[in-house]
Amino acid sequence: MAINYNIPEYDVLRDPQRCIACRVCERQCANEVHSFDPDSGTMKSDESKCVNCHRCVALCPTHALKIVKNPDTFRLNAYWGQNDISEIYRQAETGGMLLSSMGNPKPYPIYWDKILINASQVTNPSIDPLREPMETRTFLGKKPGAIERNPDGSIKTDSLPPQLKLEVPILFSAMSYGSISYNAHQSLARAAQELGTYYNTGEGGLHEDFYKYGPNTIVQVASGRFGVHHDYLEAGAAIEIKIGQGAKPGIGGHLTGAKITDAVSRTRMIPKGTDAISPAPHHDIYSIEDLRQLVYSLKEATEYKKPIIVKIAAVHNVAAIASGIARSGADIIAIDGFRGGTGAAPTRIRDNVGIPIELALAAVDERLRQEQIRSNVSLIVAGGIRNSADVVKAIALGADAVYIATPALIALGCHLCRTCQIGKCNWGIATQRPDLVKRLNPDIGYKRLMNLVSAWQHEIMEMMGGMGINSIEAMRGNRLMLRGVGLNEKELEILGIKHAGE
Amino acid sequence: MNRIDANGRDFRALNEEIRAAGQEILIENCMGQRYIAAGMSGVSLTIQGIPGNALGCYLNGGTIRVHGNAQDQTGDTMNSGTIVVDGSCGDATGYSMRGGKILVRGNAGYRVGIHMKAYREQQPLIVVGGETGSFLGEYQAGGTIIVLGIGSEKKAPVGNLCGTGMHGGKMFLRAEELPADLPPQVAASKATEEDMAEIDGYLEEFCAAFSMEKQSLFDRPFYVLRPNSANPYQNLYTFN
Ligand code: SF4
Ligand code: SF4
C-alpha cells in the first residue's frame, strides 16, 4: 500500500470512563471514523477520516467525545504551513485540482471589524425601539426619478416598476437544490414566507413541492439554464441572473453526476447521473448590451411583472461593472464578496480571487451615486455577513439589503467543517443521501431560521434606535454613522468614512 | 387569422399585441423586433420579414414560422413548440433548449445547440439544412442536432471545435468526412442503419417543412457524434 504522507488533522479523544459503547457515534458519522471492536467490546476511531463536524460530539449521550486539533505537526516552519505541505502531498498523489467548500477561510483583513457604529448622546436623542415605531421594511427595485401625482394630488403608484417587499432587509442567498438538501430548502422557503422575505433557488431549478412558496422565492437563471422554463420563471417573485459568485469568481457551477439523484434530476430537468455543467461565461453574454438582452428576454417572458436581479462576484473593477449593469435594465444588483460560501469551489480560486464585500459595496454605491444612477437599481450585498452589526454597517455603507447563506446554514446546524464538496454532510444540509437528509427536520429548521432573523431584526432596531434613526431607508448610505479604526487613508477613502475620533 | 403590422412597433408593444391577438397570427413587416413570443405557448405565428434576437425564447409550445431569416439565439431555453425558419439563423440558435424543434432551411451561426439538454419525454431537435459555424453543440447534454450541409462545398458542414464539452445527446452530420479537429470528449462514427432509423422521422419532417425530397439527402454519408462520457470532468479534482 502506498504511504499516506498526510497526518490526521484532528484527534478523536474518547474518555473510556464515560464511553458506554452505545455505538451512536458509529451510526452518526458518515465519514466512518468510529467503529466497534467486538473483541474488546470498545469503540475505536480512524481519525484520518474525521472532518471535525462535531456530529458525534453533539450526539454522544455521555459526552465522552472531544475532537481536538491534532498536536502532531510537520516540522514547524514560519513559511511552509501545515496546509501548504499537505496540499502538495494531496496533489502529488492524485494530480487533481484542489476542491474545497464554504467561504474563504484565510486571514485577510475583515473590514467589518474595523468599522464602528455611531450612537446619539444628548442631542438628537436615541429612540427606544420597544416603545417607538421602528421601520425595517424595505422595497427592492428600480425607483422612479421623480414623484408623479394623480389629478387629485395623490402619489401615482400604478406605473411603478415591480418591487420586492421585505419586512426585514435580509434575504436568504442562492443555494441550489442539489448542493443542499430538500429539507434545507424547505426550511429556507418556509422561513422566508413566515418572515416576509425571500429565499433563492440557486441555479438548480425549483422542486415541484416548493412552487407554493413562489411569492417568497427568487428563481435563478445561470448559464446552464437548469430547470428554467416558463412555469419556473412565473413561479418566482423575482428572477436572478447569475453571472458570478463570490466564492469562485470566474468559475462556473458544476454539480457532479453523483449528486444528480432522481429528485435532483427532476428539478434540474436533466437525466440522473449526468454532470450539470454551468460554465462561468454565459456564452451569449459578451457585453452589457448582451446582458440587457437576457434581462429583457426575461422581462418579456414574464410581462414586466418581476424585478430582475443580476448577481456578480466582487472583483477588482466591480464599480465599473455595476455601473454597466445599472444601465442594462436590471432592477437589482447583487454583489457577492470573496467570503461567500459554496458547495464546491477550487481551493485556489476560493482563497485568492475576488475582493472584500465591504470595499466592493462602498465603491459601487459611490460610483452609482456619482453617475446619478443609484436609484436605477437596488443593491443587495452578500458574501461574509456574520451578524446584525455587519448588516447595519452594510446598509450604512449603501446596501439596500443583504443576502445571508452561511449564517442560515449555521442556524440549521452546519458546523462549518468545510467539506460540503464530499456530499456526506452529517448535519443533513450539503448532502443528498436520504439517511443524512432526514437528520435535518424542516419543522425545527424553519423555526431556527426565523429565530435567527428575528433576533437580528431586533438588534438592528436597537442599533438604529441608538443612532436616532427610525427607518432602514434613513440609514441607507448614511456613512456619517460609521467610523474606521486602524484603517489607512486609502481604505478610509474607499469606504467613504472618517476615522474614529474625527 | 389575425394580422399585425409590426411596422414602427417596438418589441414590447408587439408582444402585447401578440398576446391579445388570439391563436393564429400573421406578423407583417417584421423588422428586427426582439423576443417575439417570449415564454408564450399555444400560438401559431407566421412572421413575414426578419425577427430580431431571441425569437421564441422560453417558448412553451405552439409554432412559429419565419418567412425570412432569423437572428441570434432563436429558441433560447425553449421548452416545447416548433420554430421553422425559411432562411438562415444567427449564433446560439437553440441555446439550452430542452424540448421542441427548430428547423432551419439555410445556415446557422456559431454555438448552435449550446447547452442543449433532454429530459424524459422532452427530446429537443435542431435541424440545419446548410452549414453551421464553430462550436456546434458546445456542452451539449442531450437532444439531437442534425446538420445536412445542403449546398455546402466543405467536406464537413461545420466550423471549428464541434462538440466541445459535449456530455450528452447526439449530433448527425451529413458530410464527406468528419471535421478534423473533433475534441477528445466526442466519439464519432459513420451512422448505422439503426442510427438512421432514429432520425428518419426528423428528416421526413424537415423535408416536408421545406418541400424537399428526403431521398436526395442520402447521396452523402451521415456521421454520428456522441459524447465519450456523461461525466467529462470527474477526474479533475481532489478533495481538500
Ligand atoms: S467526522 Fe464528524 S461525526 Fe465523524 S468523527 Fe469527526 S466530528 Fe465526529
Ligand atoms: S453544510 Fe455540512 S458539510 Fe458543509 S460545512 Fe456545514 S456541516 Fe460541513
Side-chain angles (χ1 to χ4, degrees), chain A residues 125-194:
Chain A
S126 45
I127 304 169
D128 177 2
L130 297 177
R131 211 162 49 85
E132 314 270 352
M134 190 63 74
E135 185 73 73
T136 58
R137 180 182 291 172
T138 192
F139 291 86
L140 304 182
K142 197 187 291 291
K143 304 294 184 297
I147 292 175
E148 283 182 60
R149 292 189 184 271
N150 294 312
D152 67 355
S154 60
I155 293 175
K156 247 190 173 163
T157 52
D158 48 354
S159 56
L160 213 61
Q163 306 283 323
L164 287 182
K165 178 177 165 191
L166 280 69
E167 293 303 333
V168 42
I170 299 169
L171 311 87
F172 298 124
S173 195
M175 287 175 274
S176 70
Y177 175 45
S179 75
I180 60 169
S181 65
Y182 177 94
N183 286 355
H185 246 224
Q186 194 189 4
S187 305
L188 291 164
R190 281 167 73 180
Q193 187 180 50
E194 295 288 329

Side-chain angles (χ1 to χ4, degrees), chain A residues 305-338:
Chain A
K305 288 188 206 128
K306 299 166 198 295
I308 308 291
I309 307 169
V310 174
K311 177 177 178 179
I312 53 167
V315 290
H316 298 178
N317 45 355
V318 65
I321 298 164
S323 160
I325 297 172
R327 298 165 204 275
S328 72
D331 300 275
I332 301 166
I333 305 178
I335 311 169
D336 197 10
F338 80 149

Side-chain angles (χ1 to χ4, degrees), chain A residues 213-228:
Chain A
Y213 301 108
N216 296 90
T217 305
I218 295 169
V219 295
Q220 208 181 44
V221 172
S223 64
R225 307 275 207 273
F226 296 109
V228 178

Side-chain angles (χ1 to χ4, degrees), chain A residues 12 25 28-34 49-57 65 67 426-427:
Chain A
V12 178
C25 51
Q28 288 297 324
C29 181
N31 295 312
E32 297 172 356
V33 171
H34 306 281
K49 297 176 183 161
C50 177
V51 299
N52 195 5
C53 74
H54 270 96
R55 179 76 189 180
C56 58
V57 175
L65 287 168
I67 312 292
N426 273 325
W427 293 94

Side-chain angles (χ1 to χ4, degrees), chain A residues 254 256-258 275, chain B residues 229 231-237:
Chain A
H254 175 199
T256 51
D275 284 5
Chain B
S229 158
N231 313 100
Y233 302 120
Q234 70 184 354
N235 297 323
L236 213 55
Y237 293 109

Side-chain angles (χ1 to χ4, degrees), chain A residues 9 74 188 203 208 221-222 230 268 271 286 289 299 367 501:
Chain A
E9 230 181 313
F74 299 128
L188 291 164
E203 59 165 303
E208 65 239 26
V221 172
H230 186 254
R268 294 213 175 210
Y286 289 81
E289 179 56 29
K299 289 193 174 201
R367 176 75 173 255

